[in-house]
Amino acid sequence: MRNENLKILGMTCAACAKAAERAVGKLDGVEKVSVNYATEKMNVDFDAEKVSIEQIKAAVSKAGYEAEEEK
Ligand code: 9UX
């Protein structure tokens, strides 16, 4: 299992955080995801053999937000 932190841009209310969680949470291979609206951070546990960070970012973007990898 791999864990990553992403910065989520474009959230304008706390429900946005829930929407972003739902979008990522339904991807096959995502074990656990939580988004903190106040800090604009997403923490995600996923199986890297089933889902990539690029797919996770794409799901966030499809939901209307933008995910950035923090390095
Ligand atoms: Mo409420 Mo956040 O519609 O976009 S979920 S502002």
Side-chain angles (χ1 to χ4, degrees):
M1 204 59 56
R2 189 168 147 191
N3 181 269
E4 289 286 346
N5 278 295
L6 298 174
K7 180 160 181 80
I8 307 296
L9 305 172
M11 297 191 295
T12 52
C13 77
C16 292
K18 291 292 159 199
E21 278 178 2
R22 264 197 309 278
V24 171
K26 71 185 182 193
L27 293 174
D28 190 41
V30 171
E31 192 68 26
K32 188 159 160 265
V33 56
S34 76
V35 176
N36 185 310
Y37 172 65
T39 60
E40 302 187 297
K41 298 288 172 65
M42 170 179 283
N43 187 268
V44 57
D45 282 323
F46 61 102
D47 181 343
E49 293 185 358
K50 288 188 180 165
V51 66
S52 68
I53 200 80
E54 289 310 318
Q55 287 173 296
I56 291 168
K57 286 164 75 175
V60 170
S61 138
K62 203 173 156 198
Y65 315 109
E66 196 187 334
E68 266 182 6
E69 281 173 82
E70 325 203 276
K71 282 281 157 340

mmCIF file of all heavy atoms in Angstrom, residues 2 13 15 38 53 57 60:
data_model
loop_
_atom_site.group_PDB
_atom_site.id
_atom_site.type_symbol
_atom_site.label_atom_id
_atom_site.label_comp_id
_atom_site.label_asym_id
_atom_site.label_seq_id
_atom_site.Cartn_x
_atom_site.Cartn_y
_atom_site.Cartn_z
ATOM 1 N N ARG A 2 0.473 2.169 -0.783
ATOM 2 C CA ARG A 2 1.256 3.386 -0.875
ATOM 3 C C ARG A 2 0.437 4.546 -0.318
ATOM 4 O O ARG A 2 -0.786 4.541 -0.422
ATOM 5 C CB ARG A 2 1.565 3.622 -2.358
ATOM 6 C CG ARG A 2 2.551 4.721 -2.612
ATOM 7 C CD ARG A 2 2.992 4.665 -4.065
ATOM 8 N NE ARG A 2 3.251 6.022 -4.523
ATOM 9 C CZ ARG A 2 3.450 6.342 -5.789
ATOM 10 N NH1 ARG A 2 3.395 5.435 -6.738
ATOM 11 N NH2 ARG A 2 3.692 7.590 -6.120
ATOM 12 N N CYS A 13 -15.944 25.021 -0.542
ATOM 13 C CA CYS A 13 -16.734 24.752 0.661
ATOM 14 C C CYS A 13 -16.384 23.368 1.178
ATOM 15 O O CYS A 13 -15.756 22.581 0.474
ATOM 16 C CB CYS A 13 -18.238 24.865 0.389
ATOM 17 S SG CYS A 13 -18.917 23.443 -0.462
ATOM 18 N N ALA A 15 -18.205 20.831 1.581
ATOM 19 C CA ALA A 15 -18.795 19.744 0.805
ATOM 20 C C ALA A 15 -17.940 19.390 -0.405
ATOM 21 O O ALA A 15 -17.976 18.248 -0.880
ATOM 22 C CB ALA A 15 -20.215 20.104 0.375
ATOM 23 N N ALA A 38 -9.877 22.618 5.166
ATOM 24 C CA ALA A 38 -9.160 23.768 5.713
ATOM 25 C C ALA A 38 -7.707 23.823 5.243
ATOM 26 O O ALA A 38 -7.200 24.897 4.904
ATOM 27 C CB ALA A 38 -9.229 23.751 7.237
ATOM 28 N N ILE A 53 -1.101 7.461 -9.422
ATOM 29 C CA ILE A 53 -1.299 8.813 -8.927
ATOM 30 C C ILE A 53 -1.909 9.677 -10.049
ATOM 31 O O ILE A 53 -2.718 10.557 -9.786
ATOM 32 C CB ILE A 53 0.032 9.378 -8.360
ATOM 33 C CG1 ILE A 53 -0.237 10.533 -7.414
ATOM 34 C CG2 ILE A 53 0.996 9.787 -9.429
ATOM 35 C CD1 ILE A 53 -0.656 10.096 -6.040
ATOM 36 N N LYS A 57 -5.265 11.867 -9.746
ATOM 37 C CA LYS A 57 -5.337 13.282 -10.110
ATOM 38 C C LYS A 57 -6.416 13.528 -11.156
ATOM 39 O O LYS A 57 -7.116 14.545 -11.119
ATOM 40 C CB LYS A 57 -3.970 13.757 -10.630
ATOM 41 C CG LYS A 57 -2.963 13.927 -9.513
ATOM 42 C CD LYS A 57 -1.550 14.000 -10.025
ATOM 43 C CE LYS A 57 -1.255 15.335 -10.672
ATOM 44 N NZ LYS A 57 0.189 15.416 -11.058
ATOM 45 N N VAL A 60 -9.802 13.635 -9.500
ATOM 46 C CA VAL A 60 -9.998 14.909 -8.801
ATOM 47 C C VAL A 60 -10.374 15.988 -9.811
ATOM 48 O O VAL A 60 -11.314 16.766 -9.602
ATOM 49 C CB VAL A 60 -8.713 15.319 -8.039
ATOM 50 C CG1 VAL A 60 -8.824 16.744 -7.509
ATOM 51 C CG2 VAL A 60 -8.438 14.345 -6.895
#
